[in-house]
Amino acid sequence: MTTELRNAPGGSPAAGADAILRELPTEQGTLRYWEAGQGRPLVFLHGSGPGVSGWQNFGDVLPAFAEHFHCYVIEFPGFGVSDPTDKHPMPAASQAVIDLLDGLGLDKVDIIGNSMGGMVGTLFSMSHPERVRRLVTVGGLGLNAFAPFPAEGINLLIAFTEDPTRERLIQWLRSMVFDEETVTEELIEKRWALATEPKTLESARRMYSSAAMKAQIAAQAESDDPPAWSMLHKVKAKTLILWGRDDRVTPMDASLIPMRTIPDVELHVFPKCGHWAMIEQKAAFESVVVEFLNREESTS
């Protein structure tokens, strides 16, 4: 059973979409999500990083999608909106997708995932192919083929997580975009408030501290399981990969492996754009993604 909390924040463009924040009780705690529009179900999965939320990632583009689809913007556990979690953010987010779909009785959906949300959506598409009609990822899916790992933006994120100062937050935010004027004082203040909340910071350190990154790399090196990028041929949904040409968090060469291995895939690259295509190239993002999701199924 869901509970309605409030309408979209005043002054946001998405308020015109009649977005409502709801909460869904789950075994993992209370899961919150924004709901707007009518039509085929479309689920938005946000990225990671200091002060991130589903609303921060997708609130501004929500009206364009709510005109066509029944939209659900998940707020992942541990990011300051839904209940905190003791789990690593990735498995907690993956479980949240299952909890939302099962809790709302959504058998098959389209998914838009940004960065970590793109990885979560891809893994869900691989493990539950019957439940995903179309998949859209915005950066973060694949493997750095030429660029070093971790990239600049990830290193700045680690630096903030280990020593959270306002200046480090600003440095990281600027690495996320092509045009640094995108990083406004309003954005900085919103991100700072969420990012420094103790439970949120604790969750971030499970993913982005130096120790966590070293442990992740060591575990991958010792594991006999195939890496996720080598299993992308298991994605059955029609897929659209979106990338900012100037992404300094997950460089564009990471798109090469998913572009070649996902069976039914398209790649669209936005110029003058960093990691946040839905923010820096808002109009183009809306146009490209709505067309892809509404395109008639091929009969061939």
Side-chain angles (χ1 to χ4, degrees):
M1 181 178 179
T2 63
T3 302
E4 178 179 322
L5 297 182
R6 67 174 187 271
N7 289 324
S12 168
D18 293 325
I20 295 173
L21 182 62
R22 300 187 187 276
E23 57 183 29
L24 177 69
T26 75
E27 292 184 1
Q28 285 71 43
T30 298
L31 179 66
R32 295 182 176 87
Y33 64 96
W34 296 93
E35 183 176 9
Q38 296 295 325
R40 189 165 56 241
L42 172 61
V43 176
F44 293 80
L45 309 179
H46 67 76
S48 59
V52 74
S53 70
W55 187 261
Q56 290 286 328
N57 272 183
F58 297 113
D60 283 347
V61 301
L62 191 55
F65 288 93
E67 291 180 7
H68 302 268
F69 311 104
H70 196 153
C71 301
Y72 303 89
V73 183
I74 298 181
E75 300 289 359
F76 286 141
F79 286 88
V81 182
S82 288
D83 279 0
T85 176
D86 293 331
K87 296 181 180 178
H88 186 279
M90 278 287 291
S94 297
Q95 183 61 49
V97 176
I98 296 172
D99 289 341
L100 182 83
L101 268 59
D102 289 350
L104 300 182
L106 301 174
D107 295 327
K108 193 166 190 175
V109 300
D110 293 345
I111 290 176
I112 300 176
N114 172 57
S115 195
M116 183 189 81
M119 290 184 275
V120 170
T122 301
L123 292 171
F124 183 79
S125 297
M126 292 162 60
S127 59
H128 300 84
E130 75 287 351
R131 302 194 72 171
V132 182
R133 189 190 72 103
R134 295 202 177 173
L135 172 67
V136 179
T137 68
V138 190
L141 167 64
L143 178 72
N144 291 15
F146 305 113
F149 179 85
E152 176 192 1
I154 299 297
N155 284 325
L156 289 172
L157 175 54
I158 293 170
F160 171 84
T161 301
E162 296 198 329
D163 182 16
T165 68
R166 195 173 187 277
E167 182 56 35
R168 286 177 185 246
L169 176 68
I170 293 171
Q171 289 174 345
W172 172 74
L173 287 171
R174 287 176 175 167
S175 77
M176 298 289 285
V177 295
F178 173 80
D179 181 3
E180 291 189 0
E181 291 187 6
T182 306
V183 182
T184 62
E185 284 299 318
E186 180 183 9
L187 175 63
I188 293 167
E189 291 306 318
K190 286 181 179 178
R191 286 300 185 98
W192 176 254
L194 277 175
T196 53
E197 195 279 325
K199 289 290 186 181
T200 302
L201 194 57
E202 179 185 339
S203 179
R205 286 173 175 154
R206 294 193 189 103
M207 192 170 186
Y208 288 118
S209 66
S210 295
M213 294 294 289
K214 289 178 181 177
Q216 176 186 336
I217 292 170
Q220 290 173 344
E222 296 174 3
S223 176
D224 293 327
D225 295 331
W229 59 262
S230 71
M231 304 299 287
L232 290 172
H233 60 280
K234 291 184 173 292
V235 176
K236 304 305 180 186
K238 290 180 182 293
T239 302
L240 174 63
I241 299 172
L242 304 176
W243 226 281
R245 184 188 63 191
D246 309 286
D247 194 329
R248 293 148 59 194
V249 179
T250 52
M252 201 185 77
D253 60 279
S255 67
L256 296 176
I257 289 176
M259 180 182 65
R260 290 296 300 172
T261 54
I262 295 176
D264 194 344
V265 65
E266 302 173 26
L267 171 65
H268 187 98
V269 179
F270 296 98
K272 298 182 180 179
C273 182
H275 196 59
W276 289 335
M278 64 284 182
I279 294 172
E280 283 201 279
Q281 293 288 342
K282 177 179 178 293
F285 174 87
E286 293 168 352
S287 175
V288 169
V289 179
V290 169
E291 187 280 328
F292 172 75
L293 295 177
N294 275 333
R295 192 184 306 162
E296 294 293 332
E297 299 285 351
S298 174
T299 57
S300 60

